[in-house]
Amino acid sequence: QVQLVESGGGSVQAGGSLRLSCQASGSAYRYNSGCMGWFRQAQGKEREGVAAINTYGSTRYADSVKGRFTISKDNAKNTLYLEMNSLKPEDTAMYYCAAGNHYSSCPLSEPTYGYWGQGTQVTASS
């Protein structure tokens, strides 16, 4: 079992930055052995994958955030991060942390991930 708690959301002006954190607890083996990802869901829209990282640090990003967002993790602290720069109004959403099985290239699809956090709201206003 893995428990995930997100933090760091907030409201910023377009062009601003935020750093999200996801603290994992429970099975350390599970956390360090699988894919970790960030998803988001805007009001009235389906949840979509934003970024993912595997055990070895290989990353994957949605086209809409490439060059602006950076996913990273600190295994010693069991913490996943999402650095978000140059935020746009269309980035406004609830952001969720997720943990799942290992892949050489972590998918940005929900079925890959069996554990989810409660979410943290990000709002970028123009």
Side-chain angles (χ1 to χ4, degrees):
Q1 283 284 357
V2 176
Q3 292 79 44
L4 304 171
V5 179
E6 303 95 336
S7 62
S11 297
V12 297
Q13 293 290 320
S17 299
L18 284 172
R19 187 194 197 199
L20 304 184
S21 298
C22 172
Q23 178 69 54
S25 60
S27 170
Y29 172 79
R30 179 69 180 175
Y31 169 80
N32 291 330
S33 299
C35 289
M36 297 288 295
W38 287 98
F39 288 72
R40 67 186 182 187
Q41 187 169 21
Q43 194 168 9
K45 295 187 177 181
E46 294 187 354
R47 190 154 55 184
E48 61 175 355
V50 174
I53 186 168
N54 73 3
T55 303
Y56 307 110
S58 177
T59 58
R60 187 168 186 168
Y61 296 92
D63 289 342
S64 59
V65 306
K66 281 181 181 177
R68 300 188 298 120
F69 290 11
T70 302
I71 188 171
S72 62
K73 63 176 186 171
D74 185 333
N75 289 338
K77 296 182 178 179
N78 282 0
T79 303
L80 179 73
Y81 302 100
L82 185 68
E83 185 77 35
M84 304 185 295
N85 297 315
S86 302
L87 281 162
K88 304 176 181 180
E90 50 263 45
D91 295 318
T92 295
M94 184 72 78
Y95 282 71
Y96 299 90
C97 170
N101 295 323
H102 171 75
Y103 291 88
S104 57
S105 179
C106 294
L108 292 178
S109 58
E110 290 188 52
T112 300
Y113 302 87
Y115 302 99
W116 294 83
Q118 294 299 307
T120 185
Q121 178 68 37
V122 171
T123 302
S125 56
S126 58

